[in-house]
Every structure is written in C-alpha cells, then in structure tokens.
Amino acid sequence: MIGDKKKSQIPEINHKVPGKNSGKIIEMEEKYLATTTKHLPLAIKKGKGSVVEDVDGNKFIDFTTGVCVTNIGIGHPKVLKAIKNQIKDFIYFAGTDFSYEVQANLAKRLTEITPGKFAKKVFFANSGAESVEAAIKISKWSTKRNQFIGFIGGFHGRTMGANAFMGCKVVQRERYFPMMPGVWQLPYAYCFRCAYHEEYPKCDIWCAKIIEEIYFKQLVSAEEIAGILLEPIQGEGGYIVPPDEFIQELKKIATKYGILLIDDEVQTGLGRTGKMFAIEYTDVIPDIITVAKGLASGLPIGAAIYDAKFDFKIKGAHSNTFGGNPVCCASALATLDVIKEEGLIDSVNEKGKYMKKRLEEMKSKYEFIGDVRGRGMFVACEFITDPFTKKPNSELADHITEHSFQKGLILMPCGFSSIRFVPAFNIPMKILEKGFDIFESACAEAANKYAKIKSA
Ligand SMILES: Cc1ncc(COP(=O)(O)O)c(C=O)c1O
C-alpha cells in the first residue's frame, strides 16, 4: 500500500525521474495538451494521504497538495465514502434550477463558518476564477457601480473579469487586452519589497491610505468603486503576509464609501493558515468571501459567500449549469466534517510552527534565503542573490525545486523566486520532517556549489 512504512520507505526513488513510463505520458501530453503551468516531470499513478506514486513506481512526499486542494490528504476515506454514497443517488440535477438537500446543507454550512453574524447567501461556481466572477457581478449588481480596486501581485483567476485583477506576472496579461475595464491596481503591502521604499510601521500603511489620499482625489470617484478585491495573504504572488492594519485600513475605506470588500480565500481559506479564513487574523468582516480549491478535496467547486443584502433581487441576473453539483457538495461537506472532527486546524497551527522553525533555521544558515513568511501551513521562503540587493534568485529556487524532486519531494514555486510549503493538514510528522530534511539537503548542496563558484 502506498505510504505503508512496513513495506516501503517514503520517499522511495528507484528509477531515474522521469522514468520511461512517465516520459511517454509527458511526451503525449506535450503533443496533445495545451501549454499551461507544469513545472516538474511527474506523471502520477496514484496517491494516498501525503504520498504520491508515479507510473514508474517512485514514491514522493507531497508538499503541494495540488496547490492547496487536497488539504486533508489525497483520498480521505470519509470523503470517498460521501462521494460514493452521493453517486448512488444522483450525480447531477441542475442545482441552479432545482433543489436538493446536499446543496442546501453546504450553503448553510458555508454561511456558518464564514466571519460575520448576519444573514448570508451562497453562489456555487466550479472554480476559483468563477467564484471571483460571481463576486464581481454581486458587487456590480448591488452597488450599481462598475469599477474596482485590486492589487499588484494578486492572483484571482484566468477568466476575463478575474484576469483583469491579475498582477503576478506579465505573461498572465499580455495579449489579452481588453479585459474587464475599470480595475485600478495598486501595490500590495509587500513589506520585504515595498514598492514605495517605505518601512513598516513608519510607513503608516501608505499603501492603503494612498487610495483615499490620491486615487479618490485625482483619478476616480469613490462613488464609482463597487469593490476592493484582495487576497488576505497573496498566494501565487509569493505568500505575502501584509500587516493586519493594511486590511483593516482597506475595510475602513470600503465602509466609508459604500464599497464592498471582497476577500479572495480561494487559496488561503478553509483552515490552511491556522484559522478557518485568513482574514480572521485581522478581525475584518468582509462583504464577500470566495472559496474553491480545498473545499471538496479535489472535486471542482467554488463559492461566493456574501451578505444577503447584496443578493441579486431578480431571477436570471446570474446563474450557471454545474454550480452546486451534488457530488461536489457531498465531498465538500465531508471535507468540512473531517477538518472539524479531526481537529485539523489545531494540527495546522502545530505543524505550521515546526515548518516556520525549520525554514528560519535554514535562513540563518544560508544567505540566499532572504525571507521566510506565512501563516499556519501556508508558508514560503524567498530566494535572493545576496542580502544587500535582495535581487530575486529564481534560478536557485528552480534548482532547489528540481533537486528536491529528484530526492523524492514535490515542491511548487510562487512569486518571482519563492518556494511554497503547503503539505496536507494531516501529514504524519515523520513525513513532514523527512520532507524538510530533503529540502535542507538541497539547500546545502546549492550552498556548496555556490561556494565553489565563488572561490573558483
Ligand atoms: C487566490 C486565488 N483566487 C483565484 C484563483 C483561481 O482559481 P481557479 O484556478 O480554480 O480558477 C486562484 C488560483 O490559484 C487563487 O490562488
């Protein structure tokens, strides 16, 4: 059995990676699949918990959870059981046109676990991008305004509304104009690389205050802004944790001008950062929250959960075909049950501390680790060329990712030169430790190599 330590070591790399079988699949995919964002030559045969086996029999430790999706491990038995039970009854019946209990139950549960004790409503989508699209529409519809504020470094999805807020990499935007018009993007509170060359807290959160002090005076009327869309911790942008006051200040501005605050928790949500939602660290109550990724442990579902007073007042203003799919809803309910019943948010906090400690120790050893940041089990480190210029060192981040992979650890980059660490909440401690040992040995190897180059 995969992950069974009596029979096998984890990780277990028996064949060159990618092996012959993997190579064939990768070649076929290269021929027939659209070019997307693949970064490691891994062709998966099966997975269980935090261990993934490729088609050549190599077993890897998974520190990616498929980008914060399999948060409770791959194929949790309670989730599989819920899916099987639902499949026996029915797998689809137009949830936006008809009614069924599992959808109603999930909507109720989502309104209960999101911050804010007021009546809420839920729109079910099929992905993160679609949840953001729903949030855009809810904001436009309810405020009758059509412009937005977003942030550089933000990642909100690839559809043309959500894409208008994208600010991670030029490649995500170039050749796609015009996207949805009316999005004003500002630098995020990325204190390690402040766009204003300020220092926190001396800066007095200028990156938020600039909205009122410059934008609303010189560029756009506050009365035309429908929503402020942000990630409470930027994910794809590099796991950037802003000071809590940044989000608190945005909330103040939003409230003052009747603007909706949209909290995109597609990557950070559902326990990943050590609270159910990352925005809870700031005590700010958003008007709309978007979720997707980890909600149904791998089945496609997304949701926008919002203050009921902003609901569409007429039928047909927004809808879709697959939203609220019953199998996805059953899987989501089981996932939320597991997080609660198995005390996984406590686990996230405990393991998150260990993860940060390991990375901080490495930072003190290796100059090329410039910053370690994150909350809970949502942690990353940023690679730099040197501590003086802090120039991003993406080459080194890629090298270490590749080296770790060859030793049996699956990692994923983020930002310009960061590696993220997002294992499953219930990863066994021994496997977590082993994963960090592999990562550390990749750093040590890189340090040797660099030292050799320096003295050569
Ligand atoms: C914060 C955030 N919002 C939205 C999205 C888009 O989600 P999807 O890829 O499911 O459309 C992502 C994806 O990484 C994300 O991280």
Side-chain angles (χ1 to χ4, degrees):
M1 193 191 129
I2 209 171
D4 182 345
K5 281 203 240 96
K6 280 183 211 127
K7 290 184 193 153
S8 65
Q9 281 287 338
I10 300 300
E12 188 184 326
I13 305 296
N14 297 318
H15 304 279
K16 189 180 161 293
V17 189
K20 231 164 101 192
N21 299 330
S22 302
K24 273 191 215 153
I25 292 172
I26 291 165
E27 204 180 300
M28 244 178 105
E29 283 201 348
E30 275 171 4
K31 187 164 173 199
Y32 295 111
L33 270 187
T35 303
T36 52
T37 43
K38 290 181 197 284
H39 75 290
L40 285 174
L42 173 66
I44 296 158
K45 183 177 178 202
K46 56 184 171 182
K48 187 91 201 131
S50 291
V51 179
V52 170
E53 186 175 329
D54 76 3
V55 288
D56 294 290
N58 298 306
K59 297 190 183 89
F60 298 86
I61 296 172
D62 176 27
F63 267 18
T64 70
T65 46
V67 205
C68 303
V69 171
T70 52
N71 285 346
I72 59 168
I74 303 167
H76 192 289
K78 285 188 184 159
V79 170
L80 297 184
K81 191 170 165 207
I83 292 172
K84 279 183 198 150
N85 285 343
Q86 182 57 47
I87 284 172
K88 276 192 246 149
D89 289 344
F90 66 109
I91 61 170
Y92 171 76
F93 209 91
T96 49
D97 294 301
F98 300 98
S99 304
Y100 40 87
E101 196 175 4
V102 71
Q103 177 174 233
N105 284 343
L106 179 60
K108 179 168 181 280
R109 180 80 74 89
L110 288 173
T111 65
E112 287 163 358
I113 62 170
T114 38
K117 293 204 183 322
F118 43 79
K120 294 177 204 143
K121 290 230 172 181
V122 177
F123 179 84
F124 282 122
N126 308 289
S127 67
E130 258 192 78
S131 310
V132 171
E133 293 293 334
I136 293 170
K137 282 193 166 181
I138 292 159
S139 308
K140 285 193 175 194
W141 209 93
S142 63
T143 62
K144 298 193 189 128
R145 303 174 181 184
N146 52 23
Q147 298 187 54
F148 288 86
I149 287 170
F151 294 93
I152 295 169
F155 189 105
H156 299 284
R158 308 280 189 162
T159 48
M160 293 308 245
N163 212 92
F165 291 87
M166 294 279 259
C168 287
K169 291 180 181 143
V170 167
V171 68
Q172 295 154 352
R173 299 171 63 93
E174 78 185 325
R175 304 193 192 191
Y176 293 138
F177 278 86
M179 292 173 272
M180 184 184 79
V183 178
W184 300 87
Q185 282 168 294
L186 286 80
Y188 192 76
Y190 185 4
C191 301
F192 185 67
R193 296 184 188 283
C194 176
Y196 303 104
H197 298 278
E198 289 282 356
E199 233 174 78
Y200 176 77
K202 267 199 322 220
C203 61
D204 195 26
I205 311 292
W206 173 243
C207 49
K209 291 193 171 158
I210 192 174
I211 295 175
E212 214 182 356
E213 297 199 17
I214 292 190
Y215 279 70
F216 289 173
K217 284 187 187 148
Q218 295 185 278
L219 292 170
V220 57
S221 156
E223 277 71 38
E224 288 191 284
I225 301 291
I228 298 176
L229 171 62
L230 85 156
E231 292 160 272
I233 301 175
Q234 282 190 334
E236 297 306 304
Y239 281 41
I240 298 159
V241 187
D244 294 344
E245 291 113 293
F246 174 65
I247 297 178
Q248 288 156 352
E249 189 60 37
L250 294 177
K251 174 71 183 177
K252 262 193 232 159
I253 296 169
T255 307
K256 182 168 169 189
Y257 295 102
I259 296 167
L260 306 197
L261 190 76
I262 309 163
D263 173 31
D264 183 349
E265 299 253 9
V266 164
Q267 194 161 159
T268 49
L270 305 164
R272 174 50 73 184
T273 66
K275 291 200 185 272
M276 191 50 101
F277 294 96
I279 203 159
E280 290 172 51
Y281 281 102
T282 69
D283 291 327
V284 163
I285 311 283
D287 299 297
I288 308 177
I289 294 191
T290 54
V291 292
K293 289 195 184 286
L295 180 56
S297 292
L299 292 191
I301 187 168
I305 304 117
Y306 55 100
D307 187 325
K309 68 175 180 260
F310 302 123
D311 194 23
F312 306 105
K313 303 281 184 300
I314 54 169
K315 283 186 186 176
H318 192 42
S319 189
N320 61 13
T321 297
F322 289 115
N325 173 283
V327 185
C328 300
C329 287
S331 179
L333 280 167
T335 302
L336 295 173
D337 285 345
V338 168
I339 291 172
K340 191 170 171 200
E341 287 160 14
E342 298 184 11
L344 291 186
I345 297 191
D346 291 342
S347 215
V348 167
N349 283 308
E350 258 167 56
K351 287 174 188 152
K353 268 190 210 137
Y354 170 81
M355 291 164 62
K356 265 262 189 82
K357 186 169 154 276
R358 285 293 301 261
L359 290 172
E360 290 289 359
E361 282 165 9
M362 288 182 229
K363 179 173 173 263
S364 63
K365 264 193 231 166
Y366 304 112
E367 272 195 347
F368 50 67
I369 298 184
D371 197 22
V372 170
R373 52 187 179 242
R375 274 176 159 153
M377 291 176 87
F378 191 81
V379 177
C381 64
E382 180 163 336
F383 290 86
I384 53 171
T385 53
D386 63 275
F388 307 103
T389 65
K390 298 202 295 192
K391 255 175 78 181
N393 195 343
S394 59
E395 223 174 275
L396 184 58
D398 291 346
H399 172 82
I400 288 177
T401 303
E402 170 62 28
H403 187 93
S404 302
F405 179 60
Q406 293 300 334
K407 300 276 180 230
L409 173 67
I410 312 169
L411 292 169
M412 215 172 202
C414 61
F416 284 114
S417 61
S418 298
I419 293 178
R420 69 185 102 185
F421 302 85
V422 283
F425 303 171
N426 49 6
I427 185 171
M429 207 51 213
K430 276 219 161 82
I431 299 190
L432 186 66
E433 286 165 8
K434 182 69 196 172
F436 274 101
D437 291 347
I438 294 173
F439 175 72
E440 181 153 13
S441 77
C443 288
E445 181 264 359
N448 276 337
K449 203 166 152 191
Y450 273 69
K452 269 180 211 146
I453 293 167
K454 268 188 197 159
S455 58

